[in-house]
Amino acid sequence: MRHLNPFYVREKAVVPELVLAVRALAVYLLLTQEFPFNGNQGGGRFYPVIGLLARIGTDEQFNMAVRLLFLAGTGMLLFSRFVRLGALGAGLAFVMGPLSCQTCISVAHLFTGCVFLCTALSNDVTGTNLIRFQLAVLYLGADLNKISDTDWWTGASIETLLVTKHQIASYMNAASIFPPGFLSQITGIGVIVLQMSIAILLFFRKTVVYATLLALVLHLPMVLLMHMTFGPFLFALVVAYGSLLSWPPSLACDSRLHSNVLVKWLGILDFNDQISRCAGHERDSPMRWLRTALYFLPHPVILLALTVLTAAMVRYGKLLPLTILTIAAFWMYVWPQRKSAAIEPRPVS
């Protein structure tokens, strides 16, 4: 059987979907510079959680060592066969950041580090289950915290977040239609219900697609309202969900629909013969290019291009087009998999 994607080397211990996911995540982090002690994670060691970490070298030496560990891990992850070892290095570097800097602690960076660590711990038996359970624990933990906080039931937390802190004009206008605090209370309770529903759906592989749909309903409105991607969290979340899907081992070109030129370009990097060439020579058009890009979405070259595009949109604050792109990708590729989602990805020979 042909290998699923030429974007990574053959490694039987980790399923291809998961390897592809963490490699895309590594590229995104390098492009956005959202790695330990860069971007939104802070400037370096500061009041470590573990006292021992404060006694290892100078601050400058420690900070440089953590950055080098991340860069070495991602380099190994992207350009060698030792995917698990590279993911371990990148994950440890990300976890080391919050442990050595109390002001750097955030769910976004811990979750990103755990995606790498779960990959390092995965094998042909666990498949992508560690990532799936990590997602379930993420939502369950966040939801239990909200359930025990009366401010989420009364709407005070939503009011503080969207009105007092961020002063979201569109939300305040919508809230003014209802009695004071009503929309905030409904929104707070809705978030609690959504997070618990996502956690429950993630415990069953056959309902992963429905969990992904609810995740879009939960996260995308917050991204649009607050104009934030929460550091690397949003992209890490996308690739984590993406690793749970089935990616085709081969892509057949249809000369009546697809661009022969674009397929030929994709074929240059098709090291494992994932795609078949177009036999016809029909004239190209923008519509053919669009259909080709959409059909060959699972090809690593297209996914890499989307990763670069996502990083650019985040860098320049174009979150509305990013949201539209995310919804379109879900509708065209994820939603049709709701009947086949129960199939566990396995390494191919």
Side-chain angles (χ1 to χ4, degrees), residues 303-319:
L303 292 176
L304 178 60
L306 289 176
T307 299
V308 175
L309 179 61
T310 299
M313 288 181 177
V314 171
R315 173 67 178 81
Y316 295 104
K318 304 299 182 182
L319 298 185

Side-chain angles (χ1 to χ4, degrees), residues 75-95:
M76 192 177 300
L77 176 64
L78 291 172
F79 304 113
S80 79
R81 297 174 61 91
F82 305 104
V83 172
R84 295 176 68 188
L85 186 59
L88 178 63
L92 288 177
F94 249 104
V95 173

Side-chain angles (χ1 to χ4, degrees), residues 5 57 61 76 84 155 214 251 263 303:
N5 273 308
Q61 291 170 340
M76 192 177 300
R84 295 176 68 188
L214 293 185
L251 296 165
V263 173
L303 292 176

Side-chain angles (χ1 to χ4, degrees), residues 87-286:
L88 178 63
L92 288 177
F94 249 104
V95 173
M96 191 65 68
L99 289 180
S100 58
C101 175
Q102 293 189 22
T103 60
C104 302
I105 295 177
S106 73
V107 174
H109 293 92
L110 284 176
F111 174 77
T112 303
C114 287
V115 171
F116 286 116
L117 292 178
C118 286
T119 301
L121 296 173
S122 296
N123 53 42
D124 57 350
V125 176
T126 61
T128 58
N129 283 332
L130 291 183
I131 293 291
R132 182 161 58 89
F133 293 142
Q134 180 204 355
L135 284 167
V137 169
L138 171 74
Y139 289 106
L140 185 60
D143 203 54
L144 291 177
N145 182 64
K146 290 179 177 62
I147 289 174
S148 62
D149 188 347
T150 56
D151 285 347
W152 278 95
W153 293 100
T154 61
S157 292
I158 294 294
E159 195 79 12
T160 300
L161 181 65
L162 299 182
V163 178
T164 305
K165 184 176 181 179
H166 291 279
Q167 298 181 350
I168 307 299
S170 58
Y171 179 82
M172 291 189 291
N173 291 334
S176 64
I177 302 174
F178 303 95
F182 177 79
L183 184 59
S184 295
Q185 183 176 22
I186 294 299
T187 303
I189 296 174
V191 169
I192 292 175
V193 173
L194 271 177
Q195 287 190 332
M196 182 59 70
S197 301
I198 294 171
I200 293 173
L201 291 173
L202 283 169
F203 277 109
F204 306 96
R205 173 161 290 280
K206 63 182 180 180
T207 54
V208 162
V209 172
Y210 300 100
T212 307
L213 174 61
L214 293 185
L216 290 179
V217 174
L218 174 65
H219 296 293
L220 290 184
M222 299 301 291
V223 170
L224 288 176
L225 288 174
M226 300 170 62
H227 302 286
M228 295 174 61
T229 59
F230 308 97
F233 179 72
L234 186 63
F235 192 82
L237 201 64
V238 169
V239 298
Y241 276 108
S243 69
L244 305 180
L245 305 174
S246 299
W247 297 84
S250 61
L251 296 165
C253 176
D254 187 340
S255 60
R256 298 170 300 176
L257 301 174
H258 302 141
S259 166
N260 183 49
V261 174
L262 183 55
V263 173
K264 184 178 180 180
W265 287 357
L266 292 175
I268 295 176
L269 297 177
D270 192 35
F271 303 115
N272 291 318
D273 296 327
Q274 184 188 3
I275 63 177
S276 63
R277 307 300 190 268
C278 282
H281 299 280
E282 285 78 1
R283 187 175 180 178
D284 269 341
S285 66

Side-chain angles (χ1 to χ4, degrees), residues 57-73:
T58 65
D59 288 344
E60 184 177 353
Q61 291 170 340
F62 184 87
N63 298 344
M64 181 60 68
V66 172
R67 292 192 187 101
L68 289 177
L69 177 61
F70 174 78
L71 293 174

